[in-house]
């Protein structure tokens, strides 16, 4: 039986375990990337391992999330990241060089390689044929230390593409269509692998858009074949030496196949407050739009901006609309400057924003009260924009640009512009001067906001306390640990912990801390798909700091589950989902004999208030069980 592309890459990197869907395996990681918001913790953790320099093939540290610099914290973090990169052998991508995933795709990602990044959109590099996964900072730090990465060998869903996209229908519409079918939960330990004739009609940046938002389905990664288009992209980046052809065998068998006829797709939109809430643009036509933002690691490539500019050319945005454009990288910015696209955008009324995450993470450009914001980014979670009452809609650059002109939701197929000639250039402008190569000569500099990552205590004999919070399903890491204005505290756990569950229950930090200070263990009770969204390990570290010892949920997403284990928080699943209903916030809870329960994986949760015994399953691999007993990976690697 032939192999899928996914299993070809995994078997070339397998270090431990059997390559069979559902089995726990360990793989060698070739490349790593970090970004500044998760990177400071990752490098502090790496430093605590007392290793002189990184041991994987390539490690890159990007600065793209916290570039607002209100106050000293961001700049101090950048300086720490620059100096620690220099001393540990990491390439440093300075602020201004662009968004990690866009820049990595342009300058480093290669077919057949494994890439681990401390950001959930690392799978963007699947567009070029890398097996690229997101992880918490500690797992990336370990990969930099040369430690193999543990995953569950995935089931592979083949997404069979035929036909070709119609004018004004875009790669974003492909992934929104995938989201409408697979949804945002229930896809853990799965890889989406694209194949079929339709693949050849998509350029690498278009494939990257599709792979990027596979993260919203919760899959481990998404993969495209490496073919003549991959070679063309690598040539245009002056990197054709790294090309290897790679695809599934003709007789490869997928666990499931989903067919998409690209010719039949039409412009789609993800409606508030979930990327899985999909409608057709034409269903919303006429609805007033207040803000349009084009950018983010999903849709900020050169062709994305060229297409948006072609639609805007000779026109002006509606008076009621604010249009912002953030080129994904300095390369994209140089390209659009040279060929006049930038001027077209400016003349149409666009506000040119920094090549960074910016609006996508709620760092700026918060929309007005109850306003409608159209964005080309990938997440429209509640309150992520910084304005809780705003409604965020995720669309393609074509839909965004065309709607900005009329000030209402508009189907771009009605545009009179011609975008059919916009193709990938044969050569991009290559200027690597914003990468700093390590010299191993700098002393590491730490500002006052930068503190040690806290350690948990080993799992105690008694885990007894209260249900500090009870939340529903699809709780994202943005609900748990807000970003935006709070991002600047990423390197300061005590301060950042004051904002845990800020948009859900602002009293949570004080309640949790007061239980903790009385010597109790805190519990979080949650519905399905807890911890979806980002890789931020702070969504585990900060609750841990506040005394949380167990998350009892209907289901937990992959990266968050790993982060919980890494910091010694027990991820427990209800054996019978209906038991979730029986526990109330504030109930007194105890885990019966936690130490021996870790070994068996079978726990009993005693709801003392209701006098109920609830069976739970520990959601952890054998290695993770050891980590949980030790109270987290930092205790393991330091001992
Ligand atoms: C995101 O898009 O949510 C982020 C911000 O890039 C996160 C990482 C973080 O929280 O720092 C992610 O996707 O992992
Ligand atoms: Fe940055 Fe947004 Fe991409 Fe996250 S999703 S890496 S915040 S651009």
């Amino acid at each position: 039986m032939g192999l899928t592309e996914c299993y070809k890459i995994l078997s070339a990197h397998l270090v431990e375990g059997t390559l069979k869907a559902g089995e726990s395996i360990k793989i060698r990681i070739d490349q790593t990337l970090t970004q500044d918001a998760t990177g400071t913790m990752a490098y502090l953790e790496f430093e605590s391992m007392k290793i002189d320099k990184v041991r994987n093939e390539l490690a890159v540290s990007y600065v793209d999330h916290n570039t607002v610099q209100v106050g000293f914290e961001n700049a101090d973090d950048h300086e720490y990241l620059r100096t620690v990169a220099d001393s540990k052998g990491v390439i440093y991508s300075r602020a201004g060089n662009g968004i990690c995933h866009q820049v990595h795709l342009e300058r480093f990602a290669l077919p057949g390689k494994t890439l681990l990044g401390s950001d959930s959109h690392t799978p963007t590099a699947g567009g070029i044929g890398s097996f690229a996964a997101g992880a918490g900072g500690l797992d990336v730090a370990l990969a930099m230390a040369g430690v193999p990465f543990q995953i569950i060998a995935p089931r592979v869903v083949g997404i069979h593409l035929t036909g070709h996209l119609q004018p004004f229908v875009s790669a974003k519409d492909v992934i929104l269509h995938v989201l409408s079918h697979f949804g945002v939960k229930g896809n853990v330990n799965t890889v989406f692998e694209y194949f079929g004739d339709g693949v050849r009609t998509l350029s690498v940046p278009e494939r990257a858009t599709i792979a990027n938002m596979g993260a919203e389905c919760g899959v481990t990664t998404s993969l495209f074949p490496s073919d003549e288009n991959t070679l063309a992209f690598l040539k245009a980046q002056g990197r054709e030496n790294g090309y290897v052809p790679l695809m599934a065998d003709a007789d490869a068998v997928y666990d499931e196949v989903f067919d998409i006829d690209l010719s039949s797709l039409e412009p789609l939109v993800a409606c508030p407050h979930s990327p899985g809430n999909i409608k057709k643009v034409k269903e919303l036509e006429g609805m007033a739009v207040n803000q349009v933002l084009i950018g983010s690691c999903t849709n900020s490539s050169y062709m994305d901006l060229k297409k948006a500019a072609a639609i805007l050319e000779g026109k002006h945005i509606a008076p009621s609309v604010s249009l912002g454009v953030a080129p994904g990288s300095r390369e994209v910015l140089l390209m659009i400057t040279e060929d006049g696209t930038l001027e077209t955008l400016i003349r149409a009324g666009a506000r040119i924003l920094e090549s960074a995450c910016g609006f996508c993470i709620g760092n700026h450009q918060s929309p007005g009260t109850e306003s409608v914001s159209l964005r080309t980014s990938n997440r429209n979670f509640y309150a992520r924009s910084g304005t809780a009452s705003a409604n965020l809609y995720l669309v393609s650059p074509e839909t965004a640009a065309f709607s900005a002109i009329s000030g209402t939701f508009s189907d771009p197929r009605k545009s009179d512009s011609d975008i059919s000639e916009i193709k990938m250039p044969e050569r991009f402008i290559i200027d690597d001067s914003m990468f700093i190569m390590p010299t191993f000569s700098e002393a590491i500099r730490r500002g006052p906001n930068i503190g040690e990552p806290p350690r948990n205590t080993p799992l105690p004999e008694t885990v007894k306390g209260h249900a500090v919070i009870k939340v529903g399903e699809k709780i994202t890491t943005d609900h748990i640990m807000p970003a935006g204005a709070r991002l600047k505290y990423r390197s300061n756990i005590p301060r950042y912990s004051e904002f845990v569950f800020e948009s859900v229950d602002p009293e949570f930090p004080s309640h949790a801390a007061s239980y903790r200070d009385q010597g109790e263990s805190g519990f979080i009770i949650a519905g399905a798909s807890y911890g979806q969204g980002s890789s931020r390990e702070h969504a585990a570290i900060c609750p841990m700091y506040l005394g949380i010892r167990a998350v009892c949920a209907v289901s937990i997403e992959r990266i968050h589950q790993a982060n919980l284990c890494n910091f010694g928080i027990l991820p427990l699943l209800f054996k019978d989902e209906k038991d979730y209903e029986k526990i109330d916030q504030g109930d007194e809870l105890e885990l019966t004999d936690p130490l021996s329960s870790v070994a068996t994986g079978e726990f009993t949760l005693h709801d003392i208030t209701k006098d109920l015994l609830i069976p739970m399953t520990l959601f952890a691999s054998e290695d993770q069980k050891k980590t949980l007993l030790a109270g987290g990976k930092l205790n393991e690697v330091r001992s």
Side-chain angles (χ1 to χ4, degrees), residues 562-588:
N563 287 335
L564 291 174
C565 293
N566 285 352
F567 290 92
I569 299 180
L570 295 163
L572 299 174
L573 303 182
F574 291 102
K575 279 207 154 168
D576 179 354
E577 289 182 16
K578 289 197 263 346
D579 285 337
Y580 160 80
E581 303 295 340
K582 297 180 183 158
I583 307 174
D584 286 312
Q585 187 161 317
D587 281 3
E588 197 180 358

Side-chain angles (χ1 to χ4, degrees), residues 100-159:
C100 54
H101 309 302
Q102 174 69 25
V103 181
H104 204 81
L105 186 78
E106 291 167 355
R107 306 306 305 141
F108 298 111
L110 286 172
K113 296 281 181 191
T114 52
L115 165 68
L116 195 70
S118 60
D119 192 281
S120 65
H121 290 102
T122 306
T124 310
I128 209 167
S130 296
F131 185 95
L138 183 46
D139 280 322
V140 177
L142 286 162
M144 289 191 280
V147 177
F149 179 57
Q150 189 237 313
I151 51 165
I152 301 295
R155 57 192 288 276
V156 184
V157 173
I159 303 194

Side-chain angles (χ1 to χ4, degrees), residues 35-39 64-66 100-101 117-122 134-135 215-216 297 357 360-361 378-379 381 384 477-478 481 483 487 490 496 533-538 559:
Q35 42 89 343
D36 51 311
T38 54
D64 55 359
H65 279 62
N66 281 322
C100 54
H101 309 302
S118 60
D119 192 281
S120 65
H121 290 102
T122 306
E216 274 42 77
C297 57
C357 297
C360 176
I361 188 56
N378 46 38
R379 289 184 175 151
F381 299 150
R384 180 171 163 106
T477 52
D478 280 77
M481 261 346 297
L487 260 186
R490 282 285 174 97
Y496 198 29
S534 88
S535 68
R536 63 191 71 151
E537 61 188 353
H538 298 77
I559 304 179

Side-chain angles (χ1 to χ4, degrees), residues 275-349:
N277 193 4
I278 309 293
K279 288 203 169 128
K280 292 177 176 161
V281 169
K282 69 181 178 212
E283 291 176 64
L284 300 183
E285 261 190 321
M287 185 203 272
V289 169
N290 311 99
Q291 183 187 49
V292 176
L293 292 167
I294 301 177
S296 91
C297 57
T298 317
N299 276 122
S300 57
S301 71
Y302 175 59
M303 278 75 76
D304 282 336
L305 301 198
K306 287 269 298 178
K307 285 180 189 161
I311 291 170
L312 289 161
E313 179 141 35
K315 309 200 168 60
H316 203 280
I317 57 169
S320 55
V321 167
S322 168
L323 168 67
V325 179
S329 68
R330 183 164 165 271
E331 182 180 275
V332 173
L333 184 53
L334 286 168
M335 295 285 295
I336 63 168
T337 308
E338 193 191 68
D339 73 1
T341 303
L342 181 61
E343 184 177 345
T344 306
L345 291 168
I346 295 170
R347 286 197 182 278

Side-chain angles (χ1 to χ4, degrees), residues 390-468:
N391 287 310
L392 269 54
Y393 295 82
L394 308 177
V395 294
S396 68
E398 290 88 333
T399 302
F402 194 52
S403 302
I405 300 168
S406 60
T408 58
F409 259 97
S410 304
D411 187 329
R413 290 173 298 175
K414 294 186 181 157
S415 162
D416 55 14
S417 308
D418 181 9
I419 59 169
S420 59
E421 291 310 309
I422 299 174
K423 300 267 173 329
M424 211 188 62
E426 281 180 16
R427 188 84 181 170
F428 289 96
I429 298 173
I430 298 163
D431 175 352
D432 287 335
S433 61
M434 292 290 272
F435 291 109
I436 303 182
M437 296 299 157
T439 63
F440 300 97
S441 60
E442 293 264 2
I444 300 174
R445 304 245 295 265
R446 278 171 244 274
N449 189 47
I450 301 175
E452 278 276 291
R455 276 206 232 194
N456 207 345
T457 51
L459 187 65
E461 274 172 35
T462 308
V463 175
K464 189 173 177 195
H466 286 83
V468 190

